[in-house]
Amino acid sequence: MAKTRERWGSRSSFVFAAIGAAIGLGNVWRFPYITYQNGGGAFLIPYLIALITAGIPLMILEYAVGQKAQSSPPTALKTIWKKSEWIGWFAVVLVFVLATYYATIMSWCVNYFYQSFTLGWGNTPRAVETFFNQTLLAKSGSPGILGGIQLPVLIGLAVTWLLIYLCLFKGVKTLGKIVYFTVGIPWLILIIMVIRGLTLPGAMEGLNFYLTPDFSVLLQPKVWLAAYGQIFFTLSLAMGTLIVYASYLPRNSDITVNAFITSLANCGTAFLAGFAVFSTLGYLASAMGVTVPEVTTSGLGLAFVTYPTAINLLPVASRLFGALFFLLLITLGIDSAFSQIEPVVGSIADKWGFNKRKVLPLVVLTGFIVGIPYTTKAGFYWVDIIDHFVCTYGLTLIGFLECIVIGYFFKASRIREYINSVSDVRIGPWWDVFIKIVTPIVLGVSLIYELIKLIQKGYGNYPVWTAFSGIGLIILLIVLSFILSRKRGNL
Ligand code: PFF
């Protein structure tokens, strides 16, 4: 099967695709906010340590597994240790669930992009909030009350899935060309947004707020866990994406340099996005005559309420900057979105020998249908709940299992020998220590810490049954993974 395996057109296509998967919506709203919430400039220390001790070692590992096995996550892990195929399936089903709500957030971006030409979200802070909460999402007040479907969100979702399909259907070679645009365009827009942000009055207040270090936070475990969580999410680790992308590289391709380039490009972009976001928030605060913390909202509210409010107040070309900002989010998000679908399609095709072209429309259609509940009036809450359980428990658990299987069953030193035999930069035994000890300990501790917190406080302000649904979903996905791994395949 290695003979007929699809190939990237060039090494840079692969690197751009991996960078595109990494840089996504998470870089624009999640990184700046998490940084400011966890000690500002001081947070960069745990962030960099997490990158070096877990991010890069695990990325090297995932590249090595995909490239060595020349196969998608389930079958690749099976070649490492027979009994670990289910872990690969667990990553695949989990990333599919992630894709269904990620596409919903993309749908909101598509709607905002459409509105940006007329600044249709209104021109006062209150109006923007009403637009997001009432007009677009019509939030029902509780995850239990689904209400009806919001047609614009459903249409945006269909557009997103169509885009995903169009990017993937021609195969990996064409994908390798598309990613030059989906990575290049957002970089260009981001530079424009940074320059625009930094030249606005009040920008420095925003940057002070973003970067002023509060070193006392480094003593808090939660700050370290936030740093590791962010690194996992942002680099798209433990989701099968990197394994499947690397499997389209020839077996003798470089691994370590590719991993360094991908992770540094991603983290550098996140850092830069912080300048665009916080300089603009500084401007918003000064225009409204309040302090920066008063205008800073967390998570999704930052991109869909606070930022559009700031755009409204721009002295010139606010429509243009509105459109640019949401085009930035769409182009940033789309290559992350299709990187979540490729492992699903590749895994089914690899295990049962199906043609990827036939599998893709089925996966896309199923993804769209599974995502419909997120377009209801309770959709916002479910995006938030499922995101929490998928990222906090699923992702951490898979990262932990990968380290154990590869570190102990396959032996870290054996895979390191392979990595060094093909890479320009050699890695030393320090890598084994990170894979066998440091990363699994950090992930194990973080899992236990989060579980205790969940038992004590539940998740967010939602009813208790939602936490059971979240944990139930993870258990269901594990069972499904076992079933899929038991099914007979061609490999
Ligand atoms: N890294 C992406 C982001 O920062 O938005 C999210 C993501 C993409 C997670 C692909 C997982 C994945 F497989």
Side-chain angles (χ1 to χ4, degrees):
M1 74 156 280
K3 263 184 269 148
T4 56
R5 191 146 190 90
E6 276 188 282
R7 293 280 174 234
W8 296 106
S10 64
R11 173 176 176 179
S12 59
S13 286
F14 163 74
V15 172
F16 268 75
I19 292 177
I23 306 176
L25 302 176
N27 294 56
V28 175
W29 55 263
R30 210 165 184 266
F31 174 80
Y33 182 73
I34 295 223
T35 303
Y36 124 81
Q37 205 181 34
N38 291 286
F43 180 71
L44 297 177
I45 298 169
Y47 184 75
L48 275 179
I49 292 178
L51 173 69
I52 294 163
T53 58
I56 296 176
L58 212 67
M59 184 177 276
I60 292 176
L61 180 140
E62 293 201 352
Y63 281 174
V65 169
Q67 190 170 301
K68 188 171 190 319
Q70 294 284 295
S71 184
S72 310
T75 34
L77 278 161
K78 192 177 175 185
T79 60
I80 300 276
W81 182 47
K82 232 174 167 272
K83 294 207 167 108
S84 63
E85 184 184 333
W86 74 273
I87 301 172
W89 281 115
F90 186 26
V92 169
V93 289
L94 204 71
V95 79
F96 180 70
V97 173
L98 191 146
T100 60
Y101 71 77
Y102 204 87
T104 311
I105 305 177
M106 292 287 292
S107 154
W108 304 345
C109 296
V110 170
N111 274 282
Y112 268 76
F113 180 64
Y114 175 71
Q115 296 293 343
S116 65
F117 295 97
T118 53
L119 294 183
W121 49 68
N123 45 20
T124 61
R126 170 66 50 96
V128 184
E129 221 174 310
T130 310
F131 174 78
F132 184 58
N133 293 325
Q134 310 298 331
T135 315
L136 184 67
L137 303 180
K139 287 184 188 170
S140 66
S142 158
I145 308 168
L146 288 187
I149 285 173
Q150 287 296 99
L151 197 60
V153 183
L154 187 72
I155 295 171
L157 191 67
V159 170
T160 306
W161 280 106
L162 187 68
L163 283 176
I164 295 176
Y165 176 77
L166 292 176
C167 291
L168 290 178
F169 90 102
K170 281 244 167 167
V172 163
K173 276 231 163 53
T174 309
L175 190 67
K177 293 189 184 124
I178 294 173
V179 288
Y180 290 121
F181 294 96
T182 58
V183 174
I185 294 172
W187 270 343
L188 198 70
I189 301 179
L190 202 55
I191 291 169
I192 298 173
M193 305 291 283
V194 170
I195 296 172
R196 173 70 281 207
L198 291 180
T199 50
L200 287 168
M204 283 310 138
E205 304 317 310
L207 293 191
N208 274 341
F209 179 61
Y210 172 40
L211 294 173
T212 305
D214 170 8
F215 289 107
S216 67
V217 298
L218 298 184
L219 296 172
Q220 297 173 16
K222 94 172 190 353
V223 172
W224 289 85
L225 294 178
Y228 278 87
Q230 177 60 14
I231 281 292
F232 264 72
F233 183 80
T234 192
L235 295 180
S236 313
L237 294 171
M239 283 286 171
T241 294
L242 301 182
I243 297 184
V244 78
Y245 273 9
S247 77
Y248 302 130
L249 282 171
R251 223 180 229 133
N252 59 358
S253 313
D254 172 273
I255 291 175
T256 51
V257 177
N258 283 353
F260 285 116
I261 297 175
T262 321
S263 42
L264 295 179
N266 172 70
C267 297
T269 310
F271 188 52
L272 193 68
F275 281 82
V277 170
F278 277 96
S279 56
T280 313
L281 292 186
Y283 168 67
L284 175 64
S286 83
M288 289 172 53
V290 293
T291 61
V292 183
E294 283 174 81
V295 297
T296 308
T297 34
S298 68
L300 293 168
L302 186 67
F304 296 103
V305 179
T306 319
Y307 210 84
T309 309
I311 285 169
N312 282 338
L313 295 176
L314 288 182
V316 282
S318 46
R319 280 163 212 222
L320 174 71
F321 279 98
L324 274 182
F325 179 67
F326 287 102
L327 186 65
L328 169 72
L329 290 187
I330 293 169
T331 48
L332 272 181
I334 194 68
D335 42 15
S336 298
F338 60 63
S339 81
Q340 296 154 10
I341 293 306
E342 185 61 27
V344 185
V345 176
S347 300
I348 296 173
D350 280 348
K351 173 141 182 171
W352 290 288
F354 296 138
N355 185 336
K356 269 174 61 183
R357 277 189 177 220
K358 295 205 174 116
V359 178
L360 177 66
L362 290 176
V363 172
V364 164
L365 198 66
T366 315
F368 172 65
I369 293 169
V370 172
I372 290 178
Y374 298 118
T375 68
T376 63
K377 296 180 170 57
F380 178 85
Y381 311 116
W382 284 107
V383 167
D384 184 32
I385 294 166
I386 303 294
D387 174 60
H388 175 77
F389 284 90
V390 163
C391 292
T392 313
Y393 304 98
L395 212 131
T396 321
L397 193 57
I398 293 172
F400 176 82
L401 291 168
E402 274 181 356
C403 288
I404 300 298
V405 166
I406 287 143
Y408 293 93
F409 288 91
F410 187 77
K411 295 260 180 305
S413 54
R414 248 174 86 198
I415 199 140
R416 182 160 53 85
E417 265 167 42
Y418 163 68
I419 295 166
N420 284 337
S421 73
V422 294
S423 298
D424 294 335
V425 173
R426 293 172 62 83
I427 47 171
W430 57 265
W431 185 79
D432 304 11
V433 177
F434 286 134
I435 291 299
K436 290 171 80 166
I437 300 164
V438 180
T439 314
I441 287 183
V442 172
L443 294 177
V445 169
S446 127
L447 202 61
I448 293 168
Y449 175 87
E450 290 292 345
L451 268 175
I452 293 174
K453 220 168 74 183
L454 182 73
I455 293 165
Q456 283 170 345
K457 297 199 206 132
Y459 172 59
N461 296 325
Y462 300 112
V464 180
W465 63 268
T466 54
F468 283 106
S469 320
I471 291 292
L473 173 75
I474 300 292
I475 295 172
L476 195 76
L477 295 180
I478 294 178
V479 173
L480 183 65
S481 311
F482 270 110
I483 296 173
L484 286 166
S485 69
R486 288 293 164 100
K487 289 253 176 261
R488 283 251 210 131
N490 288 3
L491 261 187

